[in-house]
Amino acid sequence: MSGTSNVGGRGVYEAGDQRNYKDSEINEADRYKEGKENSHLANDSKDERSIANKLAREEKRKNEPEPISKEAADSQADPTLPAKNHGNEPSKGAKIDAEIQQEEEEYLKKKGIK
């Protein structure tokens, strides 16, 4: 049926998307890490993981550090940096935060803590 269409070329319909892998290729694949990142949402009611699997995953997550984006880590170092990176003037609050942070660092240096 795809050969009688006047809409597009044969390659559009017969791209050979189905791939047949050799058994040796399948056995060499690292099956555990084959899944997509963030493919399972923790609160997804339609996720078919068992309760035991969900509980085991949460136990593992207790020991993992919370992931922080690069921009969030940069903003902790310099509160005015995100605005500057986007080509904007930092807000008044960001400027005040930077001043407070600088004052606290000077205070800690005087005390000899940092």
Side-chain angles (χ1 to χ4, degrees), residues 54-110:
K54 289 179 184 179
L55 288 172
R57 174 64 186 136
E58 288 304 316
E59 286 295 321
K60 289 180 184 176
R61 290 189 70 197
K62 285 181 182 177
N63 299 330
E64 293 177 1
E66 193 68 31
I68 299 175
S69 69
K70 183 183 180 308
E71 191 169 306
D74 290 345
S75 69
Q76 289 176 355
D78 181 10
T80 61
L81 195 61
K84 291 177 183 175
N85 286 344
H86 291 281
N88 299 320
E89 182 183 348
S91 67
K92 185 176 180 181
K95 290 177 183 176
I96 292 171
D97 287 345
E99 289 176 16
I100 292 172
Q101 188 176 20
Q102 184 179 6
E103 289 172 4
E104 287 178 350
E105 287 176 2
E106 289 173 7
Y107 178 74
L108 291 174
K109 283 181 184 177
K110 283 182 183 177

